[in-house]
Amino acid sequence: MTVLGWAQILLFCGIVVAVAPLLGGYMTRVFNGERTLLSPVLRPVETAFYRLAGVDETREQHWLTYTIAMLLFHAAGFLVLYGLMRLQALLPLNPAGQSAVAPDLSFNTAISFITNTNWQNYGGESTMSYLVQMLGLTSQNFLSAATGIVLAVALIRGFARTSARTVGNFWVDITRCTLYFLLPISVPLTLFLVWQGLPQTLSAYVDATTLEGVRQTIAVGPVASQVAIKLLGTNGGGFFNANAAHPFENPTALSNYVQMISIFVLGAAMTNVFGRMVGNQRQGWAILTAMGVLFIAGVAICYWAEANGTVLLNGLGLAGGNMEGKEVRFGIVASALFAVVTTAASCGAVNAMHDSFTALGGMIPLINMELGEIVVGGVGAGLYGMLLFVIVTMFIAGLMVGRTPEYVGKKIEAREVKMAMLAILVLPLMMLGWTAIAVVHPPAVASMGNAGPHGFSEVLYAFTSQAANNGSAFAGLTGNTFFYNLSGAVAMFVGRFWMIVPVMAIAGSLAAKKTVAASSGTFPTTGGLFVGLLVGVILIVGGLTFFPALALGPIVEHLAMQSGSLF
Amino acid sequence: MDTLKLRKRIPATALFDPSIVLPAVGQAFVKLDPRTLAKNPVMFVLEVVTLLTSALLLRDILIGQPIAFELQIVIWLWFTVLFANLAEAVAEGRGKAQADALRSTRTQTRAKRLLMPDNRELFEGVSADVLEAGDLVVCEAGDIIPGDGDVIEGIASVNEAAVTGESAPVIRESGGDRSAVTGGTTVISDRIVIRITSSPGSSFLDRMIKLVEGAERQKTPNEIALNILLIGLTIIFVFATATIPSYVAYAGGTISVVVLVALFVTLIPTTIGALLSAIGIAGMDRLVRFNVLAMSGRAVEAAGDIDTLLLDKTGTITFGNRLATEIIPAPGVSEQEAARIALLASDADETAEGRSIITLVQDKYHISREAAAAGATFIPFSAATRLSGVDIGDRKLRKGAIDSVLKFARDATGHDIAEPPAFRAAVDRIARTGGTPLGLADGNRIVGVIHLKDVVKPDVKERFAALRRMGIKTVMITGDNPVTAASIASEAGVDDFIAEATPEDKLRYIRGEQADGRLIAMCGDGTNDAPALAQADVGVAMQSGTQAAREAGNMVDLDSDPTKLIEVVEIGKQLLMTRGALTTFSIANDVAKYFAIIPAMFAAFYPQLGVLNIMHLSTPQSAILSAIIFNALIIIALIPLALKGVKYRPIGAAALLRRNLLVYALGGVVLPFIGIKAIDLAVTALHLA
């Protein structure tokens, strides 16, 4: 580890923390329907959409109506995306002449993109036409991200409102979210990436003759526009198979740095939106601090593990840490940081092969996802995931100080606890359950790239990533098989929607409650004690859930490596 | 504070009184019935997996496999279930001891039921069990009142010791705020007609017995929420352990069901699951020991959440009678002389005010009460003159309202007399501070003024300060004018007051506070308090109050001591805190159990994981056995804490949480490491594994 390395990491944190309140203030105004800088231009477009769709923007929805609207919207999104992939051979903008995508792969990919997972059992440049990439995948990048954000906003309204029946209007929220900040931020980000060297073209792949005289086809396409939202919306689905390790997707150290910030910035701003909407920005800061503690701890371990390399590499006289699977233009710090960022947030873009990380270095991304991606997390999803843990934490803390638990003035009662536990249970069920099936299902075992604990980690990582809607792959595992396409789709679908419905039920039940006045008997949720307790509960619950699996994967692999055995 | 009223009616039984523990051991086996355990999901799951392992053990015995280790695990699993049952049985046993004490006071009562409502003499003797609400009964001296009801005719003194433990008789009369009588109490003088208000089996005493026995115990909202959390955690551990065999199969090993069950049982929150109902029963029990009867567990929990406490001034904050606190002589009169005249004028005054003057003179001026002067004629207070006093020969000593005393002096001289300016100044000062000035005249001479004051009870100020530290706002309700109210409020240290309060004012105030999201508690005894008692989140009715008030409130204070609300709040908080502390402890314990069992489980095929055996437990079998033994014994060890409750300290929420986390979270992580290691040493020494 170097001072310069840590300076990069701390600068990254500083920028994210500085931008969060600015963006948070703007987002709060957008969701409250207040005038913003962009209103003169965008307001007419917005109202035009409502008129076209017949939406009455003043009419708010009950939580159930809101949820049903969201689910219908996704059902339609799924059908469109699935159709586009199956029919891409017949559709225009297919200069590479890609044939129809196989049914199981289309199913997996469609679920993957509507759930904001962007798990890819395919290589983009060898499978998808430009039309599918732009109209299908990129538009889902926007909409699935917007969905995460508006659901979090609905939950925030539940906390903020008093004795209310409604939590907002899904159609209005998703329109505003896309129109007022996802698009306006994506445009300059795209231009920046083009400047850094990303292609943005509709022309066909380029044929080149190499110095050795070999003909090589170089894939290009509308890359920059898709990459901008893939990061901003924590989608992570790469245009190319190699994702952000590909020189056309992430060419420079600067583009890498900006991409990492783009991954975190909206998720961090959501904590500020929460603080503003519940009337005390410090509530938002407390949550961001808890996320920050977990993040820094993760970065520290991952960076340490990668920078130190392994006993075996050192034994071969290789100093300078573990460079296997890393791009030389990024090096160890930027690769370790990217890995932690992309899994802390639910992005899943990768600039290095996590499979090649040391056992402990690779365990950190795994743990990040197992905890439910609540460290900044997916846009919106990270916040509502974190708020589930806050509910559990405050329930226990409330009991410990002898008051019926409450958080930002809302009493936490049986219904909230029930829904929070339901939502929290979904992830371990999908992650551990599917792994348990896969490791004893011979065709699934055959897909593993390595044997022993490392192969186990590959499978555990795959299902963890999908259930948590991350989408990053450990690599090493051949995912495009019937079993993995189908089981993965189920994990992604359940991990997203079975979590969302209880979250929305909490939003509805909280909104209907009175806001309780704080007194000196109320446990303050803006201080260090709250942050510490929240972090403690997350680690204990996460640790207790996943300890056996981690022990049989990365932990035993690490211990075995210490004594010289590899898998 | 009248400490006498806080005396415990039933002495607290020793925690492990053999007369309670021995029957409880029997009960622990009775409670193995799955239908009983189904109410407690964690324990039910525990019993199911225990049965499963027992069946496997039986199979292994039949096929002749070595069973020494398996047998021990199964035995300790059964102990875990039994210990949980024992905790509940002990808590119930303590309640039952109280119930028996109550029941012994209730004898098969005969009632004299009136045959015709109009004829008070014509009645039939019936058993008290057959009385219906609305029946009229007659009770005469020596009769036991057959059921709860209202006195509709007559006045009687009643011994309520059976219910309140207080042997001094109380007056019960028709009309007014003292009309309610309780079944099981005894009329000791006179004759009253009572309208029965309770139906058979639902009388006050019946409810009280059921309550302390825990027979009618329903899960409170908070308990339900906690149960859901515990079920959720249990399911998480189902996922965590049920997936292990498949992982192990992939790694090329095998794992026995018994070991897997052992891991599962140590992980699920058995500690809090086992003690949860004992905590609830013990909370109710504590309340009853304080002579407060809660109509539901919900009310006790709500008490812990109270934000605002409404208290009647009279009787709660002040003694209720105005007392003399100083005597200010008029110019030209010595203090001693004024005091002597005050004493003479009050000598025969039996009112509380009059007696307080005598006490003041004796204590402060050391003038003893002389034998009443010969020929002294006492002039009692009359509403017409608003004066009282004594005539000794031709000396006419009077005390009373200032205007009346001045008029008396004028009439005695026959002409207008000048009111001394110093006297007027003293009167004004007393009025300004909320006191009552009482003039003193000796014939035509103005002697001085006595300061009568509503005296605040000695330690209420500290109690209100304690409440403030708990985050509870106190509000005083009084019929006094705002000046008097403000003065007393500042002296007593309450946060707010409502002066010249009507019952509607109280109700309006409660609704206002509730609209702002606060929970309100209040005490009341009169019928006109009933709406406010019903509206308040916690309404404590006084046992001495009317039936209407008792029906409206959700708690009844048998000692009729309004300041006891503070204890009620503490008991409510204690209940939640005990649950929270043991839940945290239970979950924190899992860390050490993982470190004991995981390396042991996987030792056969991944010996590298032995590094995780940081306790250096001797063998895999002994590690697993030690963890399961610790898990069972910790339940027994924590029964006293569950019954006594975690102590509440009014030090602010953050400080309290920090303290409890230190003890129960950090302690919960560390203690099992030590405990499991110690048990491992014992297990190894005894060659058990």
CSV table of all heavy atoms in Angstrom, one decimal, chain A residues 399-404 425 429 432 436 439 448 452 456 514 516-517 519-520 523 529 544-545 548, chain B residues 222 228 236 239 246-247 250 304-305 307 468 471 514 517 573 576-577 584 594 608 653-654 657 660-661:
chain,number,residue,atom,x,y,z
A,399,LEU,N,-35.8,-1.0,22.0
A,399,LEU,CA,-36.0,-1.9,23.1
A,399,LEU,C,-35.0,-1.7,24.2
A,399,LEU,O,-35.3,-1.6,25.4
A,399,LEU,CB,-35.9,-3.4,22.7
A,399,LEU,CG,-37.1,-3.9,21.8
A,399,LEU,CD1,-36.8,-5.4,21.6
A,399,LEU,CD2,-38.4,-3.7,22.5
A,400,MET,N,-33.7,-1.5,23.8
A,400,MET,CA,-32.7,-1.4,24.8
A,400,MET,C,-32.8,-0.1,25.6
A,400,MET,O,-32.1,0.0,26.7
A,400,MET,CB,-31.3,-1.4,24.1
A,400,MET,CG,-31.1,-2.7,23.4
A,400,MET,SD,-30.0,-3.9,24.3
A,400,MET,CE,-28.5,-3.2,23.9
A,401,VAL,N,-33.5,0.9,25.1
A,401,VAL,CA,-33.6,2.1,25.9
A,401,VAL,C,-35.0,2.2,26.5
A,401,VAL,O,-35.4,3.2,27.1
A,401,VAL,CB,-33.3,3.4,25.2
A,401,VAL,CG1,-31.9,3.4,24.7
A,401,VAL,CG2,-34.3,3.6,24.0
A,402,GLY,N,-35.8,1.1,26.3
A,402,GLY,CA,-37.1,1.1,27.0
A,402,GLY,C,-38.2,1.9,26.4
A,402,GLY,O,-39.1,2.4,27.1
A,403,ARG,N,-38.2,2.1,25.1
A,403,ARG,CA,-39.3,2.8,24.4
A,403,ARG,C,-39.7,2.0,23.2
A,403,ARG,O,-38.8,1.3,22.6
A,403,ARG,CB,-38.8,4.1,23.9
A,403,ARG,CG,-39.1,5.3,24.8
A,403,ARG,CD,-38.6,6.5,24.2
A,403,ARG,NE,-39.5,7.2,23.2
A,403,ARG,CZ,-40.4,8.1,23.6
A,403,ARG,NH1,-40.5,8.4,24.8
A,403,ARG,NH2,-41.2,8.6,22.7
A,404,THR,N,-41.0,2.0,22.9
A,404,THR,CA,-41.4,1.4,21.6
A,404,THR,C,-40.5,2.0,20.5
A,404,THR,O,-40.4,3.2,20.4
A,404,THR,CB,-42.8,1.6,21.3
A,404,THR,OG1,-43.6,1.0,22.4
A,404,THR,CG2,-43.2,1.0,20.0
A,425,LEU,N,-34.7,-11.6,4.2
A,425,LEU,CA,-34.6,-13.0,4.1
A,425,LEU,C,-34.4,-13.4,2.6
A,425,LEU,O,-33.8,-14.5,2.3
A,425,LEU,CB,-35.8,-13.7,4.6
A,425,LEU,CG,-35.9,-13.9,6.1
A,425,LEU,CD1,-37.3,-14.4,6.5
A,425,LEU,CD2,-34.9,-14.8,6.6
A,429,LEU,N,-31.7,-16.5,1.0
A,429,LEU,CA,-32.4,-17.6,0.4
A,429,LEU,C,-31.9,-17.9,-1.1
A,429,LEU,O,-31.5,-19.0,-1.4
A,429,LEU,CB,-33.9,-17.4,0.4
A,429,LEU,CG,-34.7,-18.6,-0.3
A,429,LEU,CD1,-34.5,-19.9,0.4
A,429,LEU,CD2,-36.1,-18.2,-0.4
A,432,LEU,N,-27.6,-18.4,-1.0
A,432,LEU,CA,-27.2,-19.7,-0.4
A,432,LEU,C,-27.9,-20.9,-1.0
A,432,LEU,O,-27.3,-21.9,-1.3
A,432,LEU,CB,-27.4,-19.7,1.1
A,432,LEU,CG,-26.6,-18.7,1.9
A,432,LEU,CD1,-27.0,-18.7,3.4
A,432,LEU,CD2,-25.1,-18.9,1.7
A,436,ALA,N,-26.2,-23.9,-3.1
A,436,ALA,CA,-26.3,-25.3,-2.6
A,436,ALA,C,-26.8,-26.3,-3.7
A,436,ALA,O,-26.3,-27.4,-3.7
A,436,ALA,CB,-27.3,-25.3,-1.4
A,439,VAL,N,-23.8,-26.6,-6.6
A,439,VAL,CA,-22.5,-27.3,-6.3
A,439,VAL,C,-22.7,-28.8,-6.2
A,439,VAL,O,-21.7,-29.5,-6.1
A,439,VAL,CB,-21.8,-26.8,-5.0
A,439,VAL,CG1,-21.3,-25.4,-5.2
A,439,VAL,CG2,-22.7,-27.0,-3.8
A,448,MET,N,-17.7,-24.8,-13.8
A,448,MET,CA,-16.7,-24.1,-13.0
A,448,MET,C,-15.4,-24.1,-13.7
A,448,MET,O,-15.0,-25.1,-14.3
A,448,MET,CB,-16.6,-24.9,-11.6
A,448,MET,CG,-17.8,-24.8,-10.7
A,448,MET,SD,-17.4,-25.6,-9.2
A,448,MET,CE,-19.0,-25.7,-8.4
A,452,GLY,N,-12.3,-27.2,-6.2
A,452,GLY,CA,-12.1,-26.9,-4.7
A,452,GLY,C,-12.8,-25.6,-4.3
A,452,GLY,O,-13.8,-25.2,-4.9
A,456,PHE,N,-16.0,-23.2,-5.8
A,456,PHE,CA,-17.1,-22.9,-4.9
A,456,PHE,C,-17.4,-21.4,-4.9
A,456,PHE,O,-18.5,-20.9,-5.0
A,456,PHE,CB,-16.9,-23.4,-3.5
A,456,PHE,CG,-18.0,-23.2,-2.5
A,456,PHE,CD1,-19.1,-24.0,-2.5
A,456,PHE,CD2,-17.9,-22.2,-1.6
A,456,PHE,CE1,-20.1,-23.8,-1.6
A,456,PHE,CE2,-18.9,-21.9,-0.7
A,456,PHE,CZ,-20.0,-22.7,-0.7
A,514,LYS,N,-48.8,8.4,12.5
A,514,LYS,CA,-48.5,9.8,13.0
A,514,LYS,C,-47.0,9.9,13.2
A,514,LYS,O,-46.3,8.9,13.4
A,514,LYS,CB,-49.2,9.9,14.3
A,514,LYS,CG,-50.7,10.1,14.2
A,514,LYS,CD,-51.3,10.6,15.5
A,514,LYS,CE,-51.3,9.6,16.6
A,514,LYS,NZ,-52.1,9.9,17.8
A,516,VAL,N,-44.2,10.9,15.6
A,516,VAL,CA,-44.1,11.0,17.1
A,516,VAL,C,-43.0,12.1,17.4
A,516,VAL,O,-42.0,12.2,16.7
A,516,VAL,CB,-43.6,9.7,17.6
A,516,VAL,CG1,-43.5,9.7,19.1
A,516,VAL,CG2,-44.5,8.6,17.2
A,517,ALA,N,-43.3,12.9,18.4
A,517,ALA,CA,-42.4,14.0,18.8
A,517,ALA,C,-41.2,13.3,19.5
A,517,ALA,O,-41.3,12.4,20.2
A,517,ALA,CB,-43.1,14.9,19.7
A,519,SER,N,-38.2,13.2,22.2
A,519,SER,CA,-37.9,13.7,23.5
A,519,SER,C,-36.5,13.2,23.9
A,519,SER,O,-35.9,12.5,23.2
A,519,SER,CB,-39.0,13.2,24.5
A,519,SER,OG,-38.7,11.8,24.8
A,520,SER,N,-36.1,13.6,25.1
A,520,SER,CA,-34.8,13.1,25.6
A,520,SER,C,-34.8,11.6,25.8
A,520,SER,O,-33.7,11.1,26.0
A,520,SER,CB,-34.4,13.9,26.8
A,520,SER,OG,-35.2,13.5,27.9
A,523,PHE,N,-33.9,7.8,21.3
A,523,PHE,CA,-32.5,7.5,21.0
A,523,PHE,C,-32.1,8.3,19.7
A,523,PHE,O,-32.8,8.2,18.7
A,523,PHE,CB,-32.3,6.0,20.8
A,523,PHE,CG,-31.0,5.7,20.2
A,523,PHE,CD1,-29.8,6.1,20.7
A,523,PHE,CD2,-30.9,4.9,19.0
A,523,PHE,CE1,-28.6,5.8,20.2
A,523,PHE,CE2,-29.7,4.6,18.4
A,523,PHE,CZ,-28.6,5.0,19.0
A,529,LEU,N,-23.0,6.8,17.9
A,529,LEU,CA,-23.5,5.6,18.5
A,529,LEU,C,-24.5,4.9,17.5
A,529,LEU,O,-24.4,3.7,17.3
A,529,LEU,CB,-24.2,5.9,19.8
A,529,LEU,CG,-24.6,4.7,20.6
A,529,LEU,CD1,-23.4,3.9,21.0
A,529,LEU,CD2,-25.3,5.1,21.9
A,544,LEU,N,-23.3,-13.7,10.4
A,544,LEU,CA,-23.9,-15.0,10.9
A,544,LEU,C,-24.5,-15.7,9.8
A,544,LEU,O,-24.5,-17.0,9.7
A,544,LEU,CB,-24.9,-14.7,12.0
A,544,LEU,CG,-24.4,-14.1,13.3
A,544,LEU,CD1,-25.5,-13.8,14.3
A,544,LEU,CD2,-23.4,-15.0,13.9
A,545,THR,N,-25.0,-15.0,8.8
A,545,THR,CA,-25.7,-15.6,7.7
A,545,THR,C,-24.7,-16.4,6.8
A,545,THR,O,-25.0,-17.4,6.3
A,545,THR,CB,-26.5,-14.6,6.8
A,545,THR,OG1,-27.3,-13.8,7.7
A,545,THR,CG2,-27.5,-15.3,5.9
A,548,PRO,N,-20.6,-19.7,7.3
A,548,PRO,CA,-20.2,-21.1,6.9
A,548,PRO,C,-19.8,-21.1,5.4
A,548,PRO,O,-18.9,-21.8,5.0
A,548,PRO,CB,-21.5,-21.9,7.1
A,548,PRO,CG,-22.3,-21.1,8.2
A,548,PRO,CD,-21.9,-19.7,7.9
B,222,ASN,N,-45.6,-5.2,21.0
B,222,ASN,CA,-44.1,-5.2,21.0
B,222,ASN,C,-43.6,-6.6,21.0
B,222,ASN,O,-42.6,-7.0,20.3
B,222,ASN,CB,-43.6,-4.4,22.1
B,222,ASN,CG,-42.1,-4.4,22.1
B,222,ASN,OD1,-41.4,-5.2,22.7
B,222,ASN,ND2,-41.5,-3.4,21.4
B,228,ILE,N,-41.6,-11.8,15.6
B,228,ILE,CA,-41.4,-11.8,14.2
B,228,ILE,C,-39.9,-11.7,13.9
B,228,ILE,O,-39.3,-12.4,13.0
B,228,ILE,CB,-42.1,-10.7,13.5
B,228,ILE,CG1,-43.6,-11.0,13.6
B,228,ILE,CG2,-41.7,-10.5,12.1
B,228,ILE,CD1,-44.5,-9.8,13.2
B,236,ILE,N,-33.3,-17.3,8.8
B,236,ILE,CA,-31.9,-17.1,8.3
B,236,ILE,C,-31.0,-18.2,8.6
B,236,ILE,O,-30.2,-18.7,7.8
B,236,ILE,CB,-31.4,-15.7,8.8
B,236,ILE,CG1,-32.1,-14.6,8.1
B,236,ILE,CG2,-29.9,-15.7,8.6
B,236,ILE,CD1,-31.5,-13.2,8.5
B,239,PHE,N,-31.5,-21.2,6.6
B,239,PHE,CA,-30.8,-21.1,5.3
B,239,PHE,C,-29.3,-21.4,5.5
B,239,PHE,O,-28.7,-22.2,4.7
B,239,PHE,CB,-30.9,-19.7,4.7
B,239,PHE,CG,-32.4,-19.3,4.3
B,239,PHE,CD1,-32.7,-18.0,4.2
B,239,PHE,CD2,-33.3,-20.3,4.1
B,239,PHE,CE1,-34.0,-17.6,3.9
B,239,PHE,CE2,-34.6,-19.9,3.8
B,239,PHE,CZ,-35.0,-18.6,3.7
B,246,SER,N,-24.9,-29.7,1.4
B,246,SER,CA,-24.6,-29.6,0.0
B,246,SER,C,-23.2,-29.1,-0.3
B,246,SER,O,-22.4,-29.6,-1.1
B,246,SER,CB,-25.7,-28.8,-0.7
B,246,SER,OG,-25.2,-28.2,-1.8
B,247,TYR,N,-22.8,-28.0,0.5
B,247,TYR,CA,-21.5,-27.4,0.3
B,247,TYR,C,-20.4,-28.5,0.7
B,247,TYR,O,-19.4,-28.6,0.1
B,247,TYR,CB,-21.3,-26.2,1.2
B,247,TYR,CG,-22.3,-25.1,1.0
B,247,TYR,CD1,-22.4,-24.0,1.9
B,247,TYR,CD2,-23.0,-25.0,-0.2
B,247,TYR,CE1,-23.2,-23.0,1.7
B,247,TYR,CE2,-23.9,-23.9,-0.4
B,247,TYR,CZ,-24.0,-22.9,0.6
B,247,TYR,OH,-24.8,-21.9,0.4
B,250,TYR,N,-19.9,-31.1,-1.8
B,250,TYR,CA,-19.1,-30.6,-2.9
B,250,TYR,C,-17.6,-30.7,-2.5
B,250,TYR,O,-16.8,-31.0,-3.3
B,250,TYR,CB,-19.5,-29.1,-3.2
B,250,TYR,CG,-18.4,-28.4,-4.1
B,250,TYR,CD1,-18.4,-28.6,-5.5
B,250,TYR,CD2,-17.5,-27.5,-3.5
B,250,TYR,CE1,-17.5,-28.0,-6.3
B,250,TYR,CE2,-16.6,-26.9,-4.3
B,250,TYR,CZ,-16.5,-27.1,-5.7
B,250,TYR,OH,-15.6,-26.5,-6.5
B,304,GLY,N,-44.3,2.7,29.2
B,304,GLY,CA,-42.9,3.0,29.0
B,304,GLY,C,-42.7,4.0,27.9
B,304,GLY,O,-41.6,4.6,27.8
B,305,ASP,N,-43.7,4.3,27.1
B,305,ASP,CA,-43.5,5.3,26.0
B,305,ASP,C,-44.0,6.7,26.3
B,305,ASP,O,-44.0,7.5,25.5
B,305,ASP,CB,-44.3,4.8,24.8
B,305,ASP,CG,-43.6,3.6,24.2
B,305,ASP,OD1,-42.5,3.3,24.5
B,305,ASP,OD2,-44.2,2.9,23.4
B,307,ASP,N,-44.9,10.3,27.0
B,307,ASP,CA,-44.1,11.6,26.8
B,307,ASP,C,-44.6,12.7,27.8
B,307,ASP,O,-43.8,13.5,28.2
B,307,ASP,CB,-44.4,12.1,25.4
B,307,ASP,CG,-43.9,11.2,24.3
B,307,ASP,OD1,-42.7,11.0,24.2
B,307,ASP,OD2,-44.7,10.6,23.6
B,468,ARG,N,-38.0,14.2,34.0
B,468,ARG,CA,-37.5,15.0,32.9
B,468,ARG,C,-36.3,14.3,32.3
B,468,ARG,O,-36.1,14.3,31.1
B,468,ARG,CB,-37.1,16.4,33.4
B,468,ARG,CG,-37.1,17.4,32.3
B,468,ARG,CD,-37.0,18.8,32.9
B,468,ARG,NE,-38.1,19.2,33.7
B,468,ARG,CZ,-38.1,19.4,35.0
B,468,ARG,NH1,-37.0,19.4,35.6
B,468,ARG,NH2,-39.2,19.7,35.6
B,471,GLY,N,-37.2,12.0,29.9
B,471,GLY,CA,-37.8,12.6,28.7
B,471,GLY,C,-39.3,12.7,28.8
B,471,GLY,O,-40.0,12.8,27.8
B,514,GLN,N,-51.7,14.5,21.8
B,514,GLN,CA,-51.8,13.3,21.0
B,514,GLN,C,-51.6,13.7,19.5
B,514,GLN,O,-51.0,13.0,18.8
B,514,GLN,CB,-53.0,12.5,21.3
B,514,GLN,CG,-53.0,11.8,22.6
B,514,GLN,CD,-54.3,11.1,22.9
B,514,GLN,OE1,-55.3,11.5,22.5
B,514,GLN,NE2,-54.2,10.1,23.8
B,517,GLY,N,-48.3,13.9,18.4
B,517,GLY,CA,-47.6,12.7,18.4
B,517,GLY,C,-47.0,12.3,19.7
B,517,GLY,O,-46.1,11.6,19.8
B,573,LYS,N,-40.7,0.5,30.9
B,573,LYS,CA,-39.4,0.6,30.2
B,573,LYS,C,-38.6,-0.6,30.5
B,573,LYS,O,-37.9,-1.1,29.7
B,573,LYS,CB,-38.7,1.9,30.7
B,573,LYS,CG,-39.3,3.2,30.1
B,573,LYS,CD,-38.5,4.4,30.4
B,573,LYS,CE,-39.0,5.6,29.8
B,573,LYS,NZ,-39.0,5.6,28.4
B,576,LEU,N,-39.4,-3.5,28.3
B,576,LEU,CA,-38.9,-3.5,26.9
B,576,LEU,C,-37.3,-3.7,27.0
B,576,LEU,O,-36.8,-4.4,26.1
B,576,LEU,CB,-39.2,-2.1,26.3
B,576,LEU,CG,-40.6,-1.8,26.0
B,576,LEU,CD1,-40.7,-0.5,25.2
B,576,LEU,CD2,-41.3,-3.0,25.2
B,577,MET,N,-36.7,-3.1,28.0
B,577,MET,CA,-35.3,-3.1,28.0
B,577,MET,C,-34.8,-4.6,28.3
B,577,MET,O,-33.8,-5.0,27.7
B,577,MET,CB,-34.7,-2.2,29.1
B,577,MET,CG,-34.7,-0.8,28.8
B,577,MET,SD,-34.3,0.2,30.2
B,577,MET,CE,-32.8,-0.5,30.7
B,584,THR,N,-30.3,-8.9,22.2
B,584,THR,CA,-28.9,-8.6,21.8
B,584,THR,C,-27.9,-9.6,22.3
B,584,THR,O,-27.0,-10.1,21.6
B,584,THR,CB,-28.5,-7.2,22.4
B,584,THR,OG1,-29.6,-6.3,22.1
B,584,THR,CG2,-27.3,-6.7,21.8
B,594,TYR,N,-20.1,-19.9,16.5
B,594,TYR,CA,-19.5,-20.2,15.1
B,594,TYR,C,-18.1,-20.6,15.3
B,594,TYR,O,-17.6,-21.6,14.6
B,594,TYR,CB,-19.7,-19.0,14.3
B,594,TYR,CG,-20.8,-19.0,13.3
B,594,TYR,CD1,-21.6,-17.9,13.0
B,594,TYR,CD2,-21.1,-20.2,12.6
B,594,TYR,CE1,-22.6,-17.9,12.1
B,594,TYR,CE2,-22.2,-20.2,11.7
B,594,TYR,CZ,-22.9,-19.1,11.4
B,594,TYR,OH,-24.0,-19.1,10.6
B,608,GLN,N,-7.3,-27.0,7.5
B,608,GLN,CA,-6.8,-25.7,7.6
B,608,GLN,C,-7.7,-24.8,8.4
B,608,GLN,O,-7.2,-23.8,9.0
B,608,GLN,CB,-6.7,-25.1,6.2
B,608,GLN,CG,-5.8,-25.8,5.2
B,608,GLN,CD,-6.6,-26.8,4.3
B,608,GLN,OE1,-7.6,-27.3,4.8
B,608,GLN,NE2,-6.0,-27.1,3.2
B,653,ALA,N,-31.4,8.6,26.6
B,653,ALA,CA,-31.4,7.4,25.8
B,653,ALA,C,-30.0,7.0,25.3
B,653,ALA,O,-29.7,5.8,25.3
B,653,ALA,CB,-32.3,7.7,24.6
B,654,ALA,N,-29.2,7.9,24.8
B,654,ALA,CA,-27.9,7.6,24.2
B,654,ALA,C,-27.0,6.9,25.3
B,654,ALA,O,-26.4,5.9,25.0
B,654,ALA,CB,-27.3,8.8,23.6
B,657,LEU,N,-28.3,3.5,26.2
B,657,LEU,CA,-28.0,2.5,25.1
B,657,LEU,C,-26.5,2.1,25.2
B,657,LEU,O,-26.2,0.9,25.0
B,657,LEU,CB,-28.3,3.1,23.7
B,657,LEU,CG,-28.1,2.1,22.6
B,657,LEU,CD1,-29.1,0.9,22.7
B,657,LEU,CD2,-28.3,2.8,21.3
B,660,ASN,N,-26.0,-0.3,28.0
B,660,ASN,CA,-26.6,-1.6,27.8
B,660,ASN,C,-25.9,-2.4,26.7
B,660,ASN,O,-25.8,-3.6,26.7
B,660,ASN,CB,-28.1,-1.5,27.4
B,660,ASN,CG,-28.9,-1.2,28.7
B,660,ASN,OD1,-28.5,-1.4,29.8
B,660,ASN,ND2,-30.1,-0.7,28.5
B,661,LEU,N,-25.4,-1.6,25.7
B,661,LEU,CA,-24.6,-2.3,24.6
B,661,LEU,C,-23.3,-2.9,25.2
B,661,LEU,O,-22.9,-4.0,24.8
B,661,LEU,CB,-24.3,-1.3,23.5
B,661,LEU,CG,-25.4,-1.0,22.5
B,661,LEU,CD1,-25.0,0.0,21.5
B,661,LEU,CD2,-25.9,-2.3,21.8
